[in-house]
DNA sequence: ACCTGAACACCGTTCAAGT
DNA sequence: ACCTGAACACCGTTCAAGT
């Protein structure tokens, strides 16, 4: 029973099983993963280099669900092919950014217990890079210069990741203690029950940020 | 050499040494901490219940540096004491929020390697609660109702935490690969060298968000 | 090429034993 | 009350051995 004729493992199978394990139990250890795959822990090392490697696989798996809006690739190319006007339409790239941001958050939200795991490792995932790329193209389409584009992408990324964390493992045990003010206590009482609380806050914050970007799009930078 | 006449350990000493260890090496294990304290690992359990307990101590330690603006406590109380007008001044609570947010981020930023550790545990720290409380009071002072206040605090918290993470462990190995667009490549080239890159992005995003809040303060919610 | 089992150097935590 | 040392059940990873 040493080497089976058809391999029991593959990187894809490991990624899927690992993500399912994290989703289900929140834990992620090599023995637990091996058990889920019906294999011995040391077998995993025939396909991955380390535990961190598997975390990267899970990141890719989680992000693969993103549907990036089909943005014309070398953006200027669409001008000569007739028809539509220069498409300065601010609505365009704002809507694109909104779509990307929401898709990005949803990818996280589908795997809440994965998020704290991701922050412990450094990213090196191609799909995530493509998300940033799409955002950068959208800002460029909105007239942002290179440096402003990078800051803008950073801002969006920070807010999205923070929102995902907030939703996944509430950063506060939302519970007013004896020292809490009336204002805070009332806010908790009013908001905590709300069903889509975290998501509604995200959407509101996203619109705040995008609104700010749109307002600045006219200025020089 | 069993029990010394004067205790070698205390919760405070453990908190300080743990934070110093994380700041210096990024690692955090009980044996390493014990060595740093000149003590055996099992001794720690006379003062803390678990490793998670120590993480909470570190969170408190990191947050204790925050200077919360002295906001009049039961806010309405300052009206009758004469002098200043009702102080509808939007500038007031916006400036207060800005100060809190920056202080909050700086507390994180001073201990970048602590941040990923924090996200793996659930918060139960009194100082952090006080930060939220101060934010809630500021929004209430700005005319926000309870539910809107909770969403607003959530938005700020998410952005701050996300920014801290982004700054601490760059969420992307910021490196354009072969599939990167011209826009993204240029943005990276223009922005990556910038000295205070992460902090400038944070300040810009913060102003975007606060600006949005200020603009909405007049509406009904 | 790919799985197994034994082995290594760790880890967090418990607990009797000491003072 | 508080520190020690031994012990327990883990963990990630390596590697010779098998096919």
């Amino acid at each position: 029973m040493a080497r089976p004729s058809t391999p029991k493992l593959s990187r894809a199978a490991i990624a899927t099983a690992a993500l399912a394990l994290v989703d289900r139990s929140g834990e992620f250890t090599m023995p637990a993963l091996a058990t889920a795959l019906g294999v011995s822990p040391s077998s995993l090392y025939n396909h991955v280099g380390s535990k961190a490697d598997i975390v990267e696989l899970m990141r890719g798996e989680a992000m693969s669900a993103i549907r990036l809006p089909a943005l014309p690739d070398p953006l200027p190319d669409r001008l000569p092919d007739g028809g539509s006007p220069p498409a300065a339409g601010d609505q365009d790239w704002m809507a694109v950014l909104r779509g990307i941001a929401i898709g990005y958050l949803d990818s996280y939200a589908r795997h809440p217990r994965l998020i704290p795991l991701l922050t412990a490792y450094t990213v090196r995932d191609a799909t995530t890079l493509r998300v940033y790329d799409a955002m950068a193209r959208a800002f460029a389409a909105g007239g942002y210069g290179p440096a402003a584009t990078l800051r803008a992408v950073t801002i969006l990324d920070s807010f999205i990741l923070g929102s995902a964390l907030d939703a996944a493992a509430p950063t506060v045990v939302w519970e007013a203690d004896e020292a809490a003010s009336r204002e805070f206590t009332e806010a908790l009482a009013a908001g905590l029950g709300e069903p889509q609380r975290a998501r509604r806050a995200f959407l509101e914050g996203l619109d705040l940020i995008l609104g700010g970007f749109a307002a600045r799009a006219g200025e020089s930078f």
Side-chain angles (χ1 to χ4, degrees), chain A residues 85-179:
Chain A
D90 283 356
Q91 219 57 24
D92 265 353
W93 61 278
M94 290 300 298
V96 165
L97 280 172
R98 213 177 111 91
I100 297 173
I102 292 178
Y104 193 12
L105 180 95
D106 285 342
S107 296
Y108 281 134
R110 240 172 261 118
H111 309 283
R113 322 185 83 156
L114 174 64
I115 306 173
L117 225 53
L118 294 183
T119 69
Y121 297 86
T122 309
V123 182
R124 218 174 238 298
D125 172 63
T127 311
T128 306
L129 257 181
R130 278 179 41 234
V131 174
Y132 288 83
D133 198 289
M135 286 186 180
R137 276 167 20 229
F139 279 111
Y144 275 57
T149 291
L150 186 63
R151 282 200 306 276
V153 170
T154 301
I155 290 169
L156 272 184
D157 181 46
S158 298
F159 179 62
I160 294 167
L161 179 60
S163 296
L165 265 169
D166 219 63
T171 51
V172 175
V173 176
W174 293 101
E175 212 171 277
D177 59 4
E178 60 287 348

Side-chain angles (χ1 to χ4, degrees), chain A residues 6-113:
Chain A
T6 158
K8 305 170 78 169
L9 292 180
S10 70
R11 286 175 71 86
I14 290 173
T16 305
L19 192 50
L21 175 66
V22 169
D23 284 345
R24 173 162 28 91
S25 71
E27 92 168 322
F28 172 44
T29 68
M30 303 299 270
L33 176 57
T35 300
L37 285 161
V39 114
S40 128
S42 55
S43 303
L44 297 166
Y45 292 88
N46 285 300
H47 302 267
V48 301
S50 65
K51 187 179 179 178
D53 200 355
I54 302 185
V55 170
E56 276 316 283
L57 286 181
M58 286 193 280
R59 195 196 303 271
E61 185 92 348
M63 285 304 150
S64 69
I66 280 199
R67 282 282 138 263
L68 290 180
L71 208 61
D73 220 311
L75 216 64
D77 280 9
R78 88 177 140 168
L79 290 186
D81 81 351
S84 52
D90 283 356
Q91 219 57 24
D92 265 353
W93 61 278
M94 290 300 298
V96 165
L97 280 172
R98 213 177 111 91
I100 297 173
I102 292 178
Y104 193 12
L105 180 95
D106 285 342
S107 296
Y108 281 134
R110 240 172 261 118
H111 309 283
R113 322 185 83 156

